[in-house]
Amino acid sequence: MIDDSVDVLVIGSGLCGLTIAVTAARHGLRVRCLSDGRPGASLANFGQLHSGAVYAPVLPALSTACWEQRDRWHDLARPARFGKAHGLALFHSADAAQRYLDAWRRIGIDALEVDPRGAGRFPSPAAAFRIPDYSVDMSVLNAGLVDLARTSGVPDVQRYTAVLRRDPESGLVSIAPPAPPSRMVVLAAGGGTPTLLSNAGIQHTLHNRRIAWGRQPGLAAEGVTYWLDGDLLAISPDRSGIRVGLPSVKGGYGTTAEERARLLEALDRHRLHQSRSDLSLIWGTVCEPTSLLADPSSLVVDLRRPPDGWTPTGNLLVALPGKWTTAWHCADQVVDALA
Ligand SMILES: Cc1cc2nc3c(=O)[nH]c(=O)nc-3n(C[C@H](O)[C@H](O)[C@H](O)COP(=O)(O)OP(=O)(O)OC[C@H]3O[C@@H](n4cnc5c(N)ncnc54)[C@H](O)[C@@H]3O)c2cc1C
């Protein structure tokens, strides 16, 4: 009789689910990964391999995790890179530059001051630094990780739309339609996580947030460029043209028309003139805790010992990387919890 049981069943095959599957397999666990096949945030994101430089003064734990984890992506990210292997951090004010420089030094981020007059075509900033961030083709990176999973002994991802059920008597979840029996289930379903949990009657403290960014053909960027004060515009090289992003306003993004207008105004402000009709807007979803985390680089909730606001469940872990750059960090935490 064939024993198809596994130690861990991972729901979701975005960068989080796959890094967990690879890490579990490397630790000798029998693992299977199921996914509904829909492209999640791992394909529809801004595509920066972060050094952590951008977050350093504001979110030092996230910044430190990015800095410590990014090298683990290099073999997969290098063949997927667009543009230069380093980017630019630009500042309108010397005070802001000093604040970032202090934070980079505390974390050890490798930033090099450069002559602001040489900062590309942009109006001369007060200060400019070379930072080790670069832009990645996410479909190439995802495909590379699928190959790595295969060579690490993870069976091919099974196409499967999972529904969770929690039995109130046993406090265990099962999966419908029936999946291979497993000791533990790891939910790495990105934006699908809150609904999967709620529909199973599992209380949680997660919510989804939509984020918009733009694709502008006809413009070029040598590498990632961030303005770290002022409007905080980020641009990065894309397959043809550039990607453009702005932070949310008071924690939220507006309508598609409003966000297009905001991005076009920012491009004008930075003298990046373009054909206005060509800017396309892309929406992505991040799943986050409703309360601020001390360490937003990854969230791993072990429902065998749940935090406040979560329903105890004897065989379920929930995993959400704050950034794909920190997904290996999240995977390590999951596998530690499974050990
Ligand atoms: C707009 C945007 C820009 C970003 N930019 C960056 C960046 O530049 N750099 C960076 O490091 N991070 C960035 N991030 C964060 C990063 O993209 C995410 O943290 C990461 O991709 C999340 O990966 P994941 O595997 O958890 O989720 P996902 O990639 O969303 O994968 C979850 C998968 O689970 C599947 N699934 C859901 N429900 C079910 C179900 N019931 N059954 C089976 N499968 C299911 C989904 O279809 C999906 O394929 C960005 C995020 C957004 C939204």
Side-chain angles (χ1 to χ4, degrees):
M1 193 176 120
I2 298 171
D3 175 11
D4 66 348
S5 67
V6 291
D7 296 307
V8 50
L9 203 56
V10 180
I11 300 176
S13 66
L15 294 177
C16 181
L18 286 176
T19 51
I20 291 168
V22 168
T23 308
R26 285 174 175 169
H27 279 75
L29 296 171
R30 283 172 306 163
V31 58
R32 286 222 66 134
C33 203
L34 315 175
S35 182
D36 59 11
R38 285 182 302 138
S42 299
L43 282 160
N45 75 76
F46 204 65
Q48 308 302 296
L49 180 64
H50 287 294
S51 68
V54 172
Y55 306 107
V58 193
L59 297 168
L62 174 60
S63 181
T64 304
C66 288
W67 180 243
E68 289 173 355
Q69 297 294 321
R70 60 194 300 281
D71 284 354
R72 295 171 77 179
W73 283 110
H74 276 328
D75 287 348
L76 293 173
R78 256 192 224 112
R81 197 181 83 212
F82 288 131
K84 289 188 173 171
H86 59 263
L88 278 176
L90 306 179
F91 295 90
H92 301 291
S93 111
D95 284 352
Q98 190 59 50
R99 197 161 62 91
Y100 274 81
L101 192 56
D102 291 344
W104 295 336
R105 284 191 180 134
R106 276 195 296 275
I107 294 166
I109 293 173
D110 189 12
L112 178 74
E113 184 149 22
V114 294
D115 185 345
R117 287 167 304 181
R121 69 180 96 164
F122 309 113
S124 208
F129 295 84
R130 210 170 90 163
I131 51 171
D133 295 50
Y134 62 82
S135 173
V136 167
D137 181 331
M138 294 311 298
S139 50
V140 174
L141 185 82
N142 276 271
L145 187 55
V146 169
D147 286 345
L148 179 65
R150 200 168 290 136
T151 55
S152 305
V154 179
D156 286 349
V157 173
Q158 211 171 320
R159 182 66 73 91
Y160 199 97
T161 301
V163 175
L164 287 187
R165 297 210 173 109
R166 181 181 179 280
D167 175 8
E169 298 291 317
S170 65
L172 298 176
V173 282
S174 59
I175 296 173
S182 69
R183 183 166 63 83
M184 287 296 290
V185 176
V186 176
L187 197 51
T193 307
T195 305
L196 270 164
L197 290 172
S198 298
N199 289 348
I202 297 172
Q203 207 186 330
H204 59 86
T205 57
L206 301 174
H207 72 142
N208 281 347
R209 194 162 60 90
R210 293 178 78 221
I211 300 177
W213 55 282
R215 274 210 155 102
Q216 177 65 58
L219 289 175
E222 289 185 345
V224 174
T225 307
Y226 302 109
W227 279 265
L228 293 183
D229 57 0
D231 63 9
L232 305 174
L233 180 71
I235 67 171
S236 69
D238 202 5
R239 182 167 298 284
S240 57
I242 57 169
R243 302 172 196 156
V244 283
L246 284 170
S248 58
V249 179
K250 293 184 187 151
Y253 286 83
T255 62
T256 296
E258 286 164 350
E259 292 306 324
R260 275 193 87 247
R262 220 157 62 87
L263 286 170
L264 287 167
E265 277 165 28
L267 289 175
D268 283 347
R269 216 170 17 248
H270 292 275
R271 299 189 206 159
L272 291 161
H273 300 295
Q274 53 355 95
S275 156
R276 301 181 76 82
S277 58
D278 289 347
L279 180 92
S280 58
L281 205 77
I282 293 109
W283 287 96
T285 302
V286 277
C287 178
E288 297 172 331
T290 42
S291 58
L292 285 181
L293 285 176
D295 176 2
S297 65
S298 77
L299 175 73
V300 175
V301 181
D302 185 342
L303 277 87
R304 294 170 298 182
R305 291 174 291 277
D308 286 349
W310 291 70
T311 307
T313 306
N315 58 343
L316 185 64
L317 289 175
V318 173
L320 295 161
K323 299 280 160 195
W324 64 259
T325 304
T326 56
W328 292 108
H329 178 48
C330 187
D332 289 345
Q333 289 173 275
V334 168
V335 172
D336 281 353
L338 291 172

